[in-house]
Amino acid sequence: VRDPQPLFVGVVCQGMRPVDIVRNSVDEVARLCRDCYGCAPQVEYRGNLDCVLDYIPRHVKYMIRELIKNAFRSTMERQLACERELDTASIPNIAVEFQQGDLHVIIKISDLGGGMPKHAQKEAWRFGWTTVEHSSQASRDGETAMYAEESCSWDRSHGVQDHQIQSKSGGLAGYGFGLPLTRLHAQYFGGDVFLQALPGLGTDVYLLLAHLKEGTPSTEVDDLATAMQMQENQQTNSRWLSVGA
């Protein structure tokens, strides 16, 4: 922010190409996946690869990295669960699709990692919920604190990654902070994250990024507290009217 950069207004990059950030994140996660499992799935890029928007690159990198990690891990764990040989040729590809609308750029990440049961789809948005098993509560508490600090940072620490590589699941999955924090990042600027899982098949995750440029219609409530108070008053009035009738 202190040193002006071309095409940047503060931390916002004008005409940012999401596909470039996705490719870099995929390369990082693929290296981590190969360290954990010995190989990694291929990634297909589809849709409007030339789409652009004004946004904060570091935010996009964080969100994409968390979503890509989930796709890689579920794909690899599915292969292990089916007792299939882990080689690149037999692993289903992961698809990343880009579409550009008037208000948002939509990034869809699709995997064939077996999907999620219905109860897990709700729990996945809760901070601290994870499917990774840990050997002891003491170990979990210490590692959770470490991962929480790392998850809240846009700049990844190599030391943390090296520590996570000690276990296959730990390398690509943390302690339940990545997905809820990703949604929080997206919603803060009028975007969102939601998923559509088909148990036994795979998962589609949609990341909506709102254009951060002058003249873009606001998608946020001007005053959330006032809006909630007005809604409560309307409900109270409705109850009184129903009693009076």
Side-chain angles (χ1 to χ4, degrees):
V1 177
R2 296 179 180 177
D3 299 325
Q5 302 181 44
L7 302 179
F8 274 80
V9 177
V11 295
V12 176
C13 178
Q14 297 178 315
M16 185 195 73
R17 284 170 46 89
V19 66
D20 294 335
I21 296 178
V22 172
R23 290 183 188 276
N24 290 335
S25 297
V26 165
D27 290 341
E28 293 178 7
V29 175
R31 287 195 296 269
L32 181 59
C33 185
R34 285 191 288 269
D35 288 336
C36 296
Y37 299 97
C39 57
Q42 298 293 320
V43 176
E44 300 177 7
Y45 299 94
R46 305 171 180 172
N48 183 6
L49 303 186
D50 296 323
C51 65
V52 297
L53 80 161
D54 297 353
Y55 210 83
I56 305 173
R58 290 199 298 179
H59 284 203
V60 178
K61 181 179 179 180
Y62 174 82
M63 293 185 283
I64 288 296
R65 190 178 189 275
E66 294 300 327
L67 299 179
I68 288 292
K69 279 170 56 180
N70 289 343
F72 269 70
R73 185 217 169 193
S74 61
T75 299
M76 299 306 297
E77 292 294 329
R78 174 74 167 178
Q79 292 292 106
L80 290 174
C82 296
E83 298 182 352
R84 297 170 181 166
E85 184 179 354
L86 292 182
D87 63 86
T88 303
S90 65
I91 301 173
N93 292 347
I94 294 172
V96 181
E97 182 176 346
F98 301 83
Q99 297 297 339
Q100 183 163 7
D102 295 334
L103 301 179
H104 298 87
V105 164
I106 304 170
I107 303 175
K108 175 185 176 183
I109 302 175
S110 304
D111 66 70
L112 295 176
M116 302 170 62
K118 192 170 184 179
H119 75 275
Q121 296 179 36
K122 296 181 180 179
E123 293 290 335
W125 302 108
R126 182 167 60 86
F127 283 92
W129 184 85
T130 178
T131 59
V132 178
E133 297 181 357
H134 301 275
S135 57
S136 67
Q137 184 63 35
S139 174
R140 175 187 172 91
D141 291 342
E143 293 177 350
T144 299
M146 176 198 67
Y147 188 82
E149 180 179 358
E150 191 260 350
S151 288
C152 295
S153 172
W154 295 316
D155 297 322
R156 299 294 173 162
S157 168
H158 295 291
V160 172
Q161 290 181 3
D162 293 340
H163 180 84
Q164 289 177 333
I165 290 173
Q166 293 177 4
S167 66
K168 285 188 175 182
S169 295
L172 290 175
Y175 297 89
F177 296 95
L179 197 56
L181 276 176
T182 295
R183 186 167 68 170
L184 191 63
H185 275 73
Q187 290 179 343
Y188 190 84
F189 289 112
D192 206 350
V193 178
F194 59 94
L195 59 85
Q196 183 177 11
L198 296 176
L201 182 61
T203 304
D204 295 333
V205 180
Y206 298 83
L207 173 62
L208 279 67
L209 301 175
H211 295 279
L212 302 182
K213 61 181 179 180
E214 186 177 358
T216 300
S218 174
T219 56
E220 298 182 78
V221 178
D222 293 333
D223 185 350
L224 184 58
T226 301
M228 293 177 65
Q229 184 64 43
M230 292 177 61
Q231 183 179 6
E232 184 177 347
N233 292 340
Q234 291 176 354
Q235 293 175 351
T236 302
N237 292 336
S238 298
R239 287 195 296 268
W240 276 105
L241 290 174
S242 61
V243 172

